[in-house]
């Protein structure tokens, strides 16, 4: 017995939705034709004649990670430098911004494309069901249901269509996997009177699953509110083409990332150069200021922080130049005062020396007290004369008014002459190999050796040794004693002017300038004097190091 014709039913009132996790559709499909299980988003219902409203999470293919293109190997500045950090910061910010924009564009474009494809599929599905439902007899049989599903599939460009009626199921492709029609979608079709839809992922590709109940056609003149026929129609529409379109859009956006990053790097390099050029100028000016060029100044441009820094540097350099100028002027005045006083004292000291010498020669004819006073005056006058001579000598070094007069010397002969002139031959052990010749200033060498040996005799303990050696165009003269040596705090100041190690040795009778004068004479020859580290059984060891060949110089 034939029933009434059927038509697609679409209520304009949206019914409540029930959605659960997607699963696999069980039932009558062949196990051999079953592919990978489909993952599904919650079911949605689309009212007839309106665009479907998505209220659930899309479960299509996961978004592909955005690639930033091949890394361009460029030679970046040092990472610990300000320029390198500035460029890297700008490039990273530009890269993050570009990737974020690409991700947002991909998400929005993908949703728009999928929604447009979804709306078109729903409209086509609804129209095909309404058009071919009139040809379906209810109650129906599997063959009629298969023809009905095949016609719907042809209108949907070969998509899989499944029709269900009671215990019968027919498909447009009997060998196709039917798991794309999930139990959730089937439950929604049974409870709703409109088109229900669900996005599923099958075989790694996105699909749109549609379903709707087929209603009985109402009698003529009674409107369009038919009764359910018990037939359910389902379709699985592929969204692979839309996914390819969105992927192509992403690839085109990715292709623009590399130029954007390179442009950001170039702009950062230009900005860094603009910002760091004043900093480099300031660094060069600082180095020149450190070398003593106190008149250096940097150009002040603009009113920003760099201009303020340049202004501060100029103020600092000006204050430093003024302070150093005052110190140098005071030092020059002090040196001139010492030199002037020393020169002024030479004439009266010469007269006093002559008088004291005469008194000392006649001391035996004087009373004991007068003889003692005469000898004391003569000794103190001699000390004062030596002090004045040392002051004059050191003032010449300060004024750079000294010069070398070099001659070819036999070192053994020169050292013996120095010891003999001061009566030290019997007090000093001299190790003087023959044949060592040097080109030096004889008078200044005599001053150096005399000060070193005299210092050892006055403050050390016997035996005092003088050793001369020559090797690799260098001359060494070592003077050692066997006294207590020098304490570390004394050794640091042994070449300072007017320094006397009273706390370490017995009271000095010298002026405190002898070692300073010896060092200045050694430096004038291009050499130096070194104090050896303390060693057991040996006192202070001073080593004079000079080049064997010294040219005349001032």
């Amino acid at each position: 017995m034939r029933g009434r014709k059927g038509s697609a039913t679409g209520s304009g009132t949206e019914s409540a939705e029930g959605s659960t996790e997607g699963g696999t559709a069980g039932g009558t499909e062949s196990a051999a034709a079953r592919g990978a299980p489909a993952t599904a988003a919650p079911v949605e219902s689309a009212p007839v004649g309106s665009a479907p409203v998505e209220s659930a999470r899309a479960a299509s293919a996961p978004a592909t990670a955005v690639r930033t293109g091949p890394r361009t190997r460029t030679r970046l500045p040092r990472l610990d430098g300000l320029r390198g950090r500035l460029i890297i910061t700008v490039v990273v910010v530009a890269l993050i911004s570009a990737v974020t924009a690409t991700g947002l564009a991909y998400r929005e474009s993908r949703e728009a494309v999928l929604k447009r494809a979804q709306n078109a599929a729903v409209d086509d599905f609804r129209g095909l069901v309404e058009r071919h439902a009139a040809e379906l007899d209810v109650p129906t049989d599997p063959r009629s249901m298969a023809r009905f599903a095949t016609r719907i599939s042809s209108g949907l460009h070969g998509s899989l269509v499944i029709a269900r009626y009671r215990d019968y199921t027919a498909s447009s492709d009997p060998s196709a996997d039917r798991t794309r029609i999930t139990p959730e979608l089937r439950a929604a079709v049974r409870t709703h009177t409109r088109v229900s839809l669900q996005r599923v992922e099958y075989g790694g590709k996105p699909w749109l699953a549609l379903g709707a109940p087929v209603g009985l056609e109402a009698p003529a003149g009674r409107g369009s509110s038919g009764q359910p026929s018990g037939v359910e129609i389902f379709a699985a529409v592929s969204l692979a083409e839309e996914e390819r379109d969105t992927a192509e859009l992403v690839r085109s956006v990715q292709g623009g990332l590399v130029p954007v990053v390179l442009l950001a790097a170039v702009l950062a390099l230009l900005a860094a150069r603009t910002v760091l050029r004043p900093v480099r100028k300031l660094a060069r000016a600082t180095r020149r200021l450190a070398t003593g060029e106190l008149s250096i100044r940097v150009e002040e441009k603009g009113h920003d922080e760099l201009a303020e820094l340049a202004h501060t540097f100029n103020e600092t350099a000006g204050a430093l130049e003024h302070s150093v100028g005052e110190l140098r002027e005071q030092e020059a005045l002090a040196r001139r005062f010492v030199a002037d006083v020393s020169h002024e004292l030479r004439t009266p000291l010469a007269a006093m020396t002559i008088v004291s010498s005469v008194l000392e020669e006649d001391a035996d004819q004087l009373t004991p007290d007068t003889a003692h006073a005469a000898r004391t005056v003569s000794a103190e006058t001699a000390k004062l004369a030596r002090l004045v001579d040392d002051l004059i000598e050191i003032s010449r070094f300060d004024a750079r008014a000294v010069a070398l007069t070099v001659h070819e010397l036999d070192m053994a002969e020169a050292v013996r002459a120095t010891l003999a002139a001061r009566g030290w031959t019997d007090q000093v052990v001299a190790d003087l190999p023959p044949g060592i010749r040097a080109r030096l200033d004889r008078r200044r060498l005599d001053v150096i050796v005399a000060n070193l040996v005299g210092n050892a005799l006055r403050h050390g303990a016997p035996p005092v040794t003088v050793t001369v050696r020559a090797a690799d165009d260098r001359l060494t003269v070592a003077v050692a004693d066997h006294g207590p040596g020098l304490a570390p705090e004394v050794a640091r100041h042994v070449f300072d002017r007017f320094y006397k190690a009273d706390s370490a040795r017995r009271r000095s009778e010298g002026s405190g300038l002898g070692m300073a004068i010896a060092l200045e004479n050694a430096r004038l020859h291009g050499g130096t004097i070194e104090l050896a580290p303390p060693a057991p059984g040996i006192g202070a060891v001073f080593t004079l190091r000079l080049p064997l060949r010294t040219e005349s110089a001032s």
Side-chain angles (χ1 to χ4, degrees):
M1 182 175 179
R2 298 179 65 86
R4 290 178 292 177
K5 302 293 184 181
S7 63
T9 303
S11 173
T13 305
E14 182 176 347
S15 61
E17 301 176 4
S19 63
T20 61
E21 295 295 328
T24 58
T28 60
E29 62 272 9
S30 171
R34 184 174 303 164
T39 60
V43 178
E44 302 174 4
S45 298
V48 177
S50 63
V53 180
E54 289 195 27
S55 62
R57 174 178 55 88
S60 56
T64 304
V66 178
R67 295 180 181 178
T68 59
R71 182 178 298 173
T72 303
R73 293 184 178 180
T74 56
R75 187 176 181 181
L76 294 177
R78 292 173 52 190
L79 296 181
D80 57 347
L82 183 58
R83 177 188 294 180
R85 292 197 297 269
L86 180 59
I87 293 176
I88 290 176
T89 300
V90 173
V91 170
V92 169
V93 170
L95 184 60
I96 292 175
S97 302
V99 171
T100 302
T102 302
L104 294 176
Y106 170 75
R107 187 185 67 179
E108 296 299 326
S109 62
R110 180 178 180 277
E111 290 299 321
V113 170
L114 292 179
K115 186 170 290 187
R116 184 170 60 250
Q118 173 181 295
N119 293 342
V122 169
D123 292 341
D124 292 344
F125 178 73
R126 183 175 59 247
L128 290 170
V129 171
E130 289 178 351
R131 184 164 63 250
H132 295 288
E135 303 173 3
L136 182 65
D137 295 329
V138 180
T140 184
D141 56 81
R143 182 176 297 177
S144 298
M145 292 172 58
R147 287 196 301 268
F148 180 59
T150 301
R151 291 178 185 139
I152 300 297
S153 175
S154 299
L156 294 177
H157 307 289
S159 300
L160 174 65
V161 177
I162 300 173
R164 293 174 58 90
Y165 178 71
R166 294 179 182 177
D167 294 334
Y168 302 117
T169 301
S171 174
S172 61
D173 184 2
S175 63
D177 188 1
R178 301 176 186 177
T179 58
R180 283 164 279 185
I181 310 302
T182 63
E184 290 83 2
L185 181 60
R186 294 172 182 173
V189 170
R190 286 193 296 269
T191 57
H192 298 160
T193 59
R194 57 184 179 180
V195 177
S196 299
L197 58 97
Q198 186 181 31
R199 292 186 197 170
V200 298
E201 182 180 345
Y202 177 77
K205 295 181 180 180
W207 293 79
L208 179 63
L210 304 171
V214 179
L216 296 174
E217 187 181 51
R222 295 188 181 181
S224 59
S225 57
Q227 298 298 322
S229 65
V231 178
E232 299 170 356
I233 190 72
F234 302 93
V237 181
S238 175
L239 298 176
E241 184 176 355
E242 287 73 16
E243 190 72 14
R244 286 194 299 270
D245 293 340
T246 56
E248 184 65 28
L249 175 62
V250 171
R251 283 193 292 270
S252 64
V253 175
Q254 288 176 351
L257 284 180
V258 174
V260 168
V261 172
L262 293 179
L263 179 61
V266 172
L267 294 178
L269 183 61
L270 295 177
R273 180 177 300 177
T274 302
V275 173
L276 297 180
R277 184 182 294 113
V279 177
R280 289 196 298 269
K281 291 181 179 179
L282 186 61
R284 288 194 296 267
T286 304
R287 288 192 293 267
R288 293 170 65 181
L289 182 67
T291 59
E293 190 176 347
L294 302 181
S295 61
I296 187 65
R297 299 293 185 272
V298 295
E299 185 179 1
E300 302 177 20
K301 287 185 178 181
H303 303 281
D304 55 4
E305 289 80 1
L306 292 175
E308 183 178 355
L309 180 61
H311 179 71
T312 303
F313 173 82
N314 291 337
E315 286 185 342
T316 304
L320 182 62
E321 183 181 15
H322 178 71
S323 299
V324 172
E326 288 185 346
L327 290 176
R328 288 175 177 174
E329 184 178 355
Q330 293 175 4
E331 184 181 4
L333 290 175
R335 290 175 177 175
R336 186 180 305 167
F337 171 77
V338 172
D340 292 344
V341 170
S342 301
H343 282 283
E344 291 297 328
L345 288 176
R346 287 191 89 175
T347 301
L349 273 175
M352 291 173 61
T353 302
I354 295 173
V355 173
S356 62
S357 299
V358 172
L359 290 176
E360 187 177 9
E361 291 177 356
D362 296 336
D364 294 337
Q365 302 176 6
L366 301 176
T367 61
D369 292 338
T370 304
H372 177 71
R375 293 189 180 95
T376 302
V377 169
S378 178
E380 295 300 326
T381 302
K383 291 180 183 179
L384 184 58
R386 287 195 299 271
L387 174 60
V388 170
D389 290 339
D390 290 344
L391 288 173
I392 292 175
E393 184 70 10
I394 206 71
S395 65
R396 288 174 179 169
F397 281 108
D398 292 339
R400 294 180 175 84
V402 293
L404 287 177
T405 304
V406 296
H407 301 280
E408 191 77 20
L409 303 178
D410 181 280
M411 287 303 300
E413 179 184 347
V415 172
R416 289 193 189 97
T418 298
L419 300 178
R422 290 161 179 83
W424 295 339
T425 303
D426 297 335
Q427 304 177 48
V428 176
V429 177
D431 183 2
L432 308 174
I436 299 179
R437 302 190 64 81
R439 186 174 175 81
L440 304 170
D441 187 318
R442 187 185 186 95
R443 185 182 70 85
R444 297 191 180 280
L445 177 64
D446 176 77
V447 171
I448 297 172
V449 175
N451 276 290
L452 294 178
V453 174
N455 183 75
L457 290 173
R458 285 192 301 271
H459 303 295
V464 174
T465 61
V466 178
T467 305
V468 177
R469 294 289 184 270
D472 299 330
D473 295 330
R474 300 293 293 181
L475 173 69
T476 60
V477 179
V479 178
D481 63 64
H482 289 72
L486 295 176
E489 61 273 10
V490 175
R492 288 194 297 268
H493 304 284
V494 70
F495 294 105
D496 293 349
R497 297 178 183 183
F498 299 104
Y499 181 79
K500 295 184 179 182
D502 293 341
S503 60
R505 296 174 176 179
R506 66 179 184 268
R507 186 176 182 274
S508 174
E509 298 178 357
S511 63
L513 292 173
M515 298 302 290
I517 292 174
L519 181 60
E520 293 291 347
N521 279 292
R523 289 174 176 172
L524 191 62
H525 283 83
T528 186
I529 301 177
E530 299 173 356
L531 175 62
I538 301 177
V541 180
F542 289 90
T543 303
L544 169 66
R545 303 183 187 276
L546 299 175
L548 281 174
R549 311 294 294 180
T550 302
E551 300 299 329
S552 298
S554 60

